[in-house]
Structures are given as structure tokens and as C-alpha cells.
Amino acid sequence: MKSPENVLTQHHSNFRRKIAVCVIVLTPMYVFADLSPALDRGSISIGELLTNPKIDVGISTPYGNVQTGDVSLGKQKMPRVKAEIILFDNQGISFDTYKYKRSYTAGFHEVGNIAGNSITADGNASLDVQLDYSKLAYKWWLGSENTVLGIGLGAAYYKLLFQ
């Protein structure tokens, strides 16, 4: 009977062999593919997406309304990662993801006159916003030389939370 250490070592050895075979088989297809000069073999970008959200809130009643107008919430940077790689000579995988998370707090004070009576309205609001976005696509590149057209099939994940 084999010891657990020998079984684990044998399993890792088989796994390494499978990885090596995949690399040996796929590398020539990747390196020697006839790629259009309009396409790059691969790219990765890591950075930030700059946003400047604005909000306009209004409350209406039979006695009148209160409106904030456009309120700028300030510029916000969102971390973003995007990667693309060409497989073979006319197919590729594309990945893109970013996340937005921010808390907002605002208050208002309004004084008005309704039917000769002075009315004061005070309020505070707090909001936590979170947006998660990711997409993964498989693309086919049609064409030759310097002219190509990309067609893709993919999936996206959106998650938007307000608290």
C-alpha cells in the first residue's frame, strides 16, 4: 500500500505533466499564429476610471415642493482592470472589471410661507452606494491584413446596492 505522501507526490507529478503537455501543444499555436497587424497578442491595463456623479432630489406635496437642484457628489476614482489575449490567430478572450463604493451624506434647510404661515423644513439623508461590474467575452476576429471586425459572445455581472 502506498503512503499518503507518495500518492500526493504522484498526483502533483501527473498534474505537472498535464500542464507541460498543454503548454507544449498550445504555445506553437499562440506564437506562430498568422495574426493580423491590426491586433495585439495581448494587453492588460490596470488603472482608475474617473467619475463625477450628480444627483437631483425633489419632494412634492399638495402644499408645495422642495428641490435640491443638481448637487455634485465630487469626483470619484474607481479601480479598474482590463485584459485581452488573442488565442490562435482569430479568437480571443476579454475581461473587464471595476468597482465603485462611496457613502454620501447631505442635509437641507428650507423656510417657506404657506397661506400666511411660516414653515421650516429640515432634513438629513445618508446613502451608501456600491456598484460591482465584471464582464467576460469570447471574441472572433474576421478579416485580414489591416482590416478586422470583432464579433463576441459574453456575459456580464452587475451588482448595485443602495443602503
Side-chain angles (χ1 to χ4, degrees):
M1 181 171 200
K2 296 181 180 180
S3 70
E5 292 83 19
N6 288 342
V7 171
L8 188 58
T9 303
Q10 184 179 2
H11 175 71
H12 285 304
S13 178
N14 288 339
F15 181 72
R16 283 190 217 124
R17 265 190 233 118
K18 289 176 186 176
I19 294 294
V21 167
C22 287
V23 168
I24 290 169
V25 168
L26 293 177
T27 299
M29 289 186 279
Y30 178 74
V31 173
F32 302 114
D34 185 22
L35 187 65
S36 166
L39 299 173
D40 292 329
R41 287 245 171 250
S43 68
I44 186 166
S45 342
I46 299 172
E48 295 177 326
L49 182 64
L50 183 63
T51 63
N52 189 11
K54 294 179 182 176
I55 190 168
D56 182 1
V57 178
I59 300 171
S60 295
T61 70
Y63 305 105
N65 65 29
V66 176
Q67 194 147 2
T68 63
D70 282 342
V71 176
S72 178
L73 301 175
K75 292 183 179 180
Q76 176 71 27
K77 295 178 181 178
M78 300 186 310
R80 183 174 190 180
V81 176
K82 185 174 183 178
E84 293 187 3
I85 187 167
I86 299 291
L87 307 171
F88 315 112
D89 61 344
N90 62 352
Q91 299 172 40
I93 295 175
S94 174
F95 176 75
D96 189 8
T97 185
Y98 59 85
K99 183 175 193 168
Y100 177 83
K101 185 175 183 179
R102 187 145 185 204
S103 296
Y104 300 100
T105 303
F108 70 90
H109 175 79
E110 292 287 330
V111 177
N113 189 347
I114 298 176
N117 296 318
S118 179
I119 295 182
T120 303
D122 292 309
N124 291 312
S126 179
L127 177 66
D128 291 330
V129 178
Q130 180 177 335
L131 169 67
D132 294 323
Y133 167 80
S134 296
K135 74 175 181 177
L136 179 66
Y138 194 84
K139 297 180 180 180
W140 291 268
W141 298 102
L142 309 172
S144 61
E145 298 299 317
N146 292 332
T147 306
V148 292
L149 171 69
I151 299 174
L153 177 65
Y157 168 78
Y158 296 92
K159 180 180 178 183
L160 183 59
L161 295 174
F162 292 104
Q163 297 178 354

